[in-house]
Amino acid sequence: MHQNRNTSQPVVLITGATDGIGRALAHIYRARGARVIGIGRRPAEEVSSDQRSDYCRVDLAQPFASTLVADVLRQRGVARLDRLIHCAGIGSYGAVDDQTPEAIDALLDVNLRAPIALTHALLPLLIAAHGHVTFIGSIAAALPAPNYAVYGATKAALEGFARSLREELRGRVGVQIVHPGATRTGMHAKSGVPPDRVNERRFPSPMWTAERIVRAIERNAAVATTGSVNRLLRCVGRHVGGIADAVAARQVVAPQHTIVDTTHPPGMLSTDGRRHCVVTGGANGIGRAVVERYARDGWLVTIIDREAPQINRAIQDATTFIQADLAHSEGIARALRHLAALPAADVVVQSAGINAVGAFAASAIDEQLTVIDINLRAPLHLTAGLLHLALLAPRATLVFIASLSVYTGYPGAAVYAASKDGLSSYARSLRVALAQRHMNVITVYPGPTRTAHARRYSPDNRRESRRMAPERVAACIATAVERRCARVIPGITNQAVALIGSVAPTLTMYAMRKTIFERLEALSGDVKAGRP
């Protein structure tokens, strides 16, 4: 069993430490006298001799990875952790249609689920040292990335998680995210980028990027970007979206593997000529309001949900129900099989979503990761399947229900915030990717809504009547579909909050902490003390 060799020696754990930026970071911290524990997938014999004593071979894509790392640290006598740097990451290049379920899962597992789970497992060690967590993001988080749509979504989700977690752990553990730009590593080739599409000689070296990441860590900025050019790109992506979208549109690659079922032509109408709307999570809340709106307007509506909806008799003849649990691959595959037997979808509203509220440090990690599965993984899989199988009508519209938390943060539901930031990023990239095919993508950012979902997760329902009715959100969605909008924030108040969150994020985060997180903490204290 290893023991801490020097109790005053800082302990730094770096994932992805055997290649690229992670390896350069490990070299820098070793040179500074830190004990560096490297995590990687390579066999120990392939790791340089100076890394082997504190090297841990772990495949972070595996569900047990975080538990394994925590066990290894315990066996090696590590009782405190000064720095945790999440550098491991993978990419994937290509058309959104060509993203396989396996590729989507790999990106989510390594780039998002692993950092969340590992942070959760190691928080006691970080708290003991008043330590610091750094997530390595990417400038793709702020840009439309039509050829890297899932990758960009994972990095945007990581940023959403980091900023909400930072507020939760304030005063105990520092949290930040650093966004490097393209770096001269093997990641581009592994992602499938054609050699003629990228000139790696123009990119900085891993050591150059690592040095700037270390400087950002020392400044402890909540969000940092390496390099002046990358900072400019991030600024343009966040604040001058039209320019970024136009540039990205010129880079879109065509799909190569779309399946067209000649027995069920894309765009086929129902027997009575009605248009077709598909709604996930259509049994309750906003989803149900959308179902009722489109059914009353004379559309054929298909509901995908794990529980049977209570449908008004007046619209029963217009609705079809597909029972499927979108938290699991079998449920998504089941939904796609049933959709293949129905008319092509003119509108798809991805409304299914769950939450898990409370302090992340005290939460059950399996429950938190299920939020990622339903809120982000399922829409990515379902969208890729709809495109790959050609189940969308010409000029179809895809609608993604994100959250106002994209603008405000959500301490007390950091993983939920991550899922919605990731979904928003994916929708933006998808909009650019599908524009040439005359399809539209809309992202909806509802605020507090009068639903059972909001009632279940809110720490204070005394002012429930002030929340927006789901029928009003559904009306905004229907109008946006007809106008082929790109973004919808229902309600003037929500629009004002989003604007403040864009220009003064510290203010909205402070408000969210006071109105959400601190109330959740107080309720948790009451429960533990047995108070009603």
Side-chain angles (χ1 to χ4, degrees), residues 185-443:
T185 69
M187 185 176 183
H188 307 284
K190 293 177 183 177
S191 300
V193 184
D196 61 343
R197 283 260 176 177
V198 60
N199 182 4
E200 291 194 17
R201 289 177 298 178
R202 301 188 316 178
F203 301 155
S205 69
M207 183 57 71
W208 184 94
T209 299
E211 288 171 347
R212 280 144 186 83
I213 289 173
V214 171
R215 292 178 196 171
I217 290 173
E218 291 170 344
R219 292 196 306 271
N220 194 25
V223 182
T225 305
T226 64
S228 56
V229 173
N230 293 328
R231 285 192 288 273
L232 176 61
L233 287 172
R234 179 174 167 82
C235 181
V236 170
R238 286 172 60 84
H239 303 295
V240 197
I243 294 175
D245 291 357
V247 172
R250 299 172 61 185
Q251 310 298 320
V252 175
V253 297
Q256 299 178 4
H257 306 293
T258 300
I259 297 172
V260 178
D261 185 351
T262 56
T263 64
H264 183 77
M268 186 182 75
L269 294 175
S270 60
T271 53
D272 55 7
R274 289 180 293 178
R275 290 186 290 176
H276 183 200
C277 176
V278 176
V279 185
T280 71
N284 294 290
I286 294 173
R288 178 175 174 173
V290 171
V291 168
E292 293 176 347
R293 168 70 186 231
Y294 275 95
R296 283 197 306 269
D297 287 350
W299 289 53
L300 173 66
V301 181
T302 298
I303 302 164
I304 302 174
D305 210 309
R306 60 184 176 185
E307 58 185 60
Q310 299 296 319
I311 295 297
N312 187 313
R313 289 185 178 181
I315 63 172
Q316 278 184 347
D317 292 342
T319 60
T320 300
F321 174 54
I322 300 173
Q323 187 168 28
D325 186 350
L326 298 179
H328 304 287
S329 298
E330 311 85 69
I332 297 168
R334 174 184 172 84
L336 288 169
R337 284 197 304 273
H338 282 273
L339 289 174
L342 297 172
D346 297 275
V347 174
V348 178
V349 181
Q350 304 233 26
S351 182
I354 62 169
N355 201 347
V357 299
F360 176 74
S363 66
I365 190 60
D366 288 344
E367 183 181 354
Q368 296 287 342
L369 294 178
T370 301
V371 173
I372 294 292
D373 288 339
I374 293 178
N375 295 7
L376 183 58
R377 177 178 173 270
L380 300 186
H381 275 267
L382 195 59
T383 302
L386 289 167
L387 291 166
H388 186 66
L389 298 172
L391 301 181
L392 298 173
R395 296 184 61 81
T397 297
L398 299 172
V399 181
F400 295 90
I401 308 298
S403 168
L404 199 63
S405 68
V406 173
Y407 295 93
T408 64
Y410 199 163
V415 176
Y416 175 87
S419 69
K420 295 303 185 179
D421 276 62
L423 193 64
S424 175
S425 168
Y426 178 74
R428 182 182 181 186
S429 294
L430 191 68
R431 179 177 173 83
V432 173
L434 299 183
Q436 294 176 1
R437 289 182 251 176
H438 307 292
M439 294 183 185
N440 190 39
V441 178
I442 302 172
T443 312

Side-chain angles (χ1 to χ4, degrees), residues 46-87:
E46 296 182 12
V47 176
S48 60
S49 57
D50 62 325
Q51 296 185 57
R52 288 178 191 169
S53 62
D54 269 323
Y55 176 67
C56 178
R57 185 187 182 188
V58 178
D59 182 356
L60 292 174
Q62 299 301 318
F64 55 79
S66 60
T67 302
L68 178 59
V69 172
D71 287 344
V72 168
L73 295 186
R74 189 161 41 249
Q75 293 166 11
R76 296 185 182 183
V78 177
R80 49 184 285 140
L81 189 60
D82 295 277
R83 295 202 181 279
L84 170 59
I85 305 176
H86 293 286
C87 196

Side-chain angles (χ1 to χ4, degrees), residues 23-47:
R23 183 175 181 178
L25 285 168
H27 177 81
I28 291 171
Y29 278 105
R30 282 197 187 90
R32 294 184 172 200
R35 178 183 178 184
V36 177
I37 300 171
I39 307 295
R41 288 186 296 177
R42 288 188 176 187
E45 56 270 20
E46 296 182 12
V47 176

